[in-house]
Amino acid sequence: MGVWRGPSTVLALLLLLCPLPTAACPPACRCLAGNVDCRQRALHEVPPRLPTNASTLLLGYNFIAVLRARSFPSLPVLLRLSLPHNQLGMIHRQALVGLGALQELDLSNNYLATLSPESFLPLGSLATLNLGNNRLEELGAGVLSALPQLQELFLHGNPWVCSCSILPLWRWLGHNRDKVPEESSLQCVFPEQLSTYPIMAFRNESFRQCQETPLSAQRYATFLLLGLSSFLASIIFCTLMGFIVVIYQH
């Protein structure tokens, strides 16, 4: 005769018969063993509910234009996030919060023209970043310094403007050549006279004018006054000398 152990026995039987629900998979996606595949689903935003055990999230070939603040739920084990071939033009500075374990991020073939360093601060473990084929004309120093574990960076296919604004990227490339497989092929697009000129072919002397300390307003005013005074003094001197020559001739 079995021994009845009360409610605990019933609870154990219920757990065996009805196991706890697993993380839900978005209707537009396919989920299998931590891989969440949402490619080519005509999505205009990141699905609001994603499995918390996701290790790979594929969102390529959709119509996502903006990553808003906290676009992703907390995904503590997400290692790979792929967003190529969307219409992405803006990433909010808090869009990637909750993705601290991320190691690979693909943002290639989008419309990104500017990047905020704050956007990448949550990605302390990121090792690979693909920014190829966007609309980047420059890349601020803070963007790359926010990624201390970065080992591989792809920058091909961007319209780089080789002016003083390219200096932070040029400096970073100089110290991290081994992290950019295509660094020898990165070329200027503007200005026209430097079109197809390799960015890494520049030397430190090329940026000497960019590194000069600009004059303060007070010093600029002083030099302006000195110049004006010198100009007036030269006119007076020339007039006086002409007057003396005329008197001497007479």
Side-chain angles (χ1 to χ4, degrees):
M1 182 175 180
V3 181
W4 175 254
R5 298 183 182 275
S8 60
T9 305
V10 177
L11 180 59
L13 289 172
L14 288 174
L15 289 175
L16 289 173
L17 295 173
C18 303
L20 293 175
T22 58
C25 185
C29 308
R30 292 180 298 173
C31 303
L32 179 64
N35 294 326
V36 183
D37 189 348
C38 308
R39 292 174 295 180
Q40 294 182 307
R41 300 291 179 172
L43 298 176
H44 287 81
E45 59 182 13
V46 178
R49 295 181 181 85
L50 293 166
T52 56
N53 66 340
S55 59
T56 297
L57 177 56
L58 307 177
L59 290 164
Y61 298 90
N62 283 295
F63 302 105
I64 300 173
V66 177
L67 290 182
R68 298 180 175 83
R70 298 186 179 273
S71 288
F72 303 88
S74 180
L75 300 172
V77 296
L78 187 68
L79 301 178
R80 181 188 176 200
L81 174 59
S82 181
L83 277 156
H85 295 277
N86 276 274
Q87 298 177 356
L88 195 58
M90 190 189 79
I91 301 176
H92 190 275
R93 61 178 180 273
Q94 294 184 345
L96 304 174
V97 171
L99 306 181
L102 197 66
Q103 295 182 6
E104 182 180 340
L105 176 59
D106 186 355
L107 298 171
S108 62
N109 295 281
N110 279 289
Y111 302 147
L112 293 169
T114 58
L115 294 172
S116 170
E118 290 82 0
S119 300
F120 296 93
L121 284 176
L123 308 181
S125 301
L126 194 70
T128 301
L129 175 61
N130 191 342
L131 296 171
N133 294 306
N134 275 280
R135 297 179 178 179
L136 296 171
E137 296 180 356
E138 60 183 75
L139 196 61
V143 174
L144 299 176
S145 62
L147 301 170
Q149 302 300 321
L150 191 63
Q151 297 299 318
E152 201 170 28
L153 176 64
F154 297 92
L155 297 169
H156 58 274
N158 283 285
W160 302 111
V161 175
C162 290
S163 62
C164 289
S165 61
I166 205 72
L167 179 57
L169 176 60
W170 177 81
R171 281 176 172 166
W172 190 91
L173 290 172
H175 291 92
N176 299 275
R177 288 175 178 263
D178 58 321
K179 298 180 181 180
V180 187
E182 78 237 322
E183 60 91 12
S184 60
S185 64
L186 296 181
Q187 299 177 340
C188 308
V189 174
F190 302 104
E192 186 176 349
Q193 60 268 30
L194 292 176
S195 180
T196 70
Y197 191 82
I199 293 177
M200 292 312 299
F202 289 106
R203 295 292 177 263
N204 194 55
E205 294 76 16
S206 306
F207 298 99
R208 183 172 297 170
Q209 185 178 2
C210 305
Q211 301 174 41
E212 292 178 355
T213 304
L215 294 174
S216 64
Q218 184 177 1
R219 289 191 175 185
Y220 184 81
T222 301
F223 281 119
L224 185 62
L225 289 174
L226 287 174
L228 182 60
S229 300
S230 300
F231 176 71
L232 292 175
S234 63
I235 292 178
I236 294 173
F237 177 78
C238 291
T239 303
L240 181 60
M241 289 300 297
F243 183 74
I244 292 174
V245 169
V246 170
I247 293 178
Y248 178 78
Q249 288 179 345
H250 283 284

